[in-house]
Amino acid sequence: MNFTLNVLGTASALPTTERYPSAQVLDVHGRLFLIDCGEGTQMRMRKAGISFLKIEHICISHIHGDHIFGIFGLLSTMGMLGRSAGLSIYGPRAFGPVLKFFLSYFGEGIKFEIKFVPLEMKEPQLIYENKVMEVLAFPLKHRIDTFGFIFREKTPPLNVKKEAIARYGLTLGEIGALKRGEELVRPAGLDTEPSVANGFVPCSGTDEPLVIKNEEATYLPFYPRSYAYCSDTAPFPELSEWVKGVDLLYHEATFPSEMAEMAEKTFHSTTLQAAECASLAGVGRLLVGHYSSRFQDVSFYLDQIRSVFPNSDLAHDGDRIELELKR
């Protein structure tokens, strides 16, 4: 049950010799989500060994070029490879005309269905779900309509402990009830003798009802994992609440702390502001990226970030990060 983040690009605005513009691929239980699609995304995907045809969903944060200039080439390649499976694209409403323009001029070879889902909300909203996970979008604070995304596993069904099954001689119906989180109450007067066939003791007494606490008989096989993507944005109070408690937070840190004035002017965040958001949200780990092209070496960003939120790291093009199962 993999939950793997592939970082394809970490640059902002201008690509550099070391960094491509924004793009990531998240693999949740084999479902692939492309998050933003800056110039060169195809090349980074090839280098990472990620199949173009396995991308099922594309999440576009906003329509600045460093986040979408790679999508025309990617869609064209999908068409040339004979893709037949449908593709869902989630993005600001303003992306609709961009997609329409592409299809009208270059869409002849596109034989697969493209479903565009425009995003318009003022707080987190569910945009996709399946049996094992869900995706929410939420507004960010940038110069144009911009959205972040949360990818979260659903809480798995409870497992019933084998020792509880043996101790109480649980029936299939009772096991199903426990899996649903219910508490079992057996009425007084049931037979307390062990079963000859299986050795189970169905009840511990006849004078009082037998209550089997759910927490006594069940356990959660694993705790749901979660990932939040926030790029590009200026700080705002609600953000830390919306991403509260996620296991991994990717937050832009375009500028170092000494460039706070520039960050405010361009509606971006500094290293310290990203770290403060992570701290307020109580996330498990912070990953920053979307670095200004002014700096060839951004290693000094890390000291600034960790001064506020120690469990932080810098994202690098080509990083592959596995969120391990928590049991």
Side-chain angles (χ1 to χ4, degrees), residues 34 37 41-42 45-46 52-53 58 68-84 87 89 95 98-99 101-112 114:
L34 174 62
C37 191
T41 294
Q42 289 189 83
M45 288 177 66
R46 283 202 181 278
F52 303 138
L53 299 184
I58 299 178
I68 65 166
F69 279 167
I71 198 165
F72 285 8
L74 177 62
L75 294 177
S76 294
T77 296
M78 288 177 173
M80 287 188 285
L81 291 175
R83 181 186 180 111
S84 59
L87 177 72
I89 301 178
F95 182 72
V98 176
L99 181 61
F101 164 81
F102 164 73
L103 292 174
S104 65
Y105 282 92
F106 308 105
E108 184 177 353
I110 306 293
K111 305 302 182 184
F112 57 94
I114 299 177

Side-chain angles (χ1 to χ4, degrees), residues 30-73:
R31 301 278 188 182
L32 299 190
F33 297 81
L34 174 62
I35 311 168
D36 279 338
C37 191
E39 182 182 358
T41 294
Q42 289 189 83
M43 300 302 295
R44 301 305 296 179
M45 288 177 66
R46 283 202 181 278
K47 190 169 184 179
I50 299 170
S51 170
F52 303 138
L53 299 184
K54 289 186 178 179
I55 298 293
E56 298 183 30
H57 306 270
I58 299 178
C59 299
I60 300 296
S61 64
H62 62 299
I63 60 168
H64 280 162
D66 55 327
H67 294 258
I68 65 166
F69 279 167
I71 198 165
F72 285 8

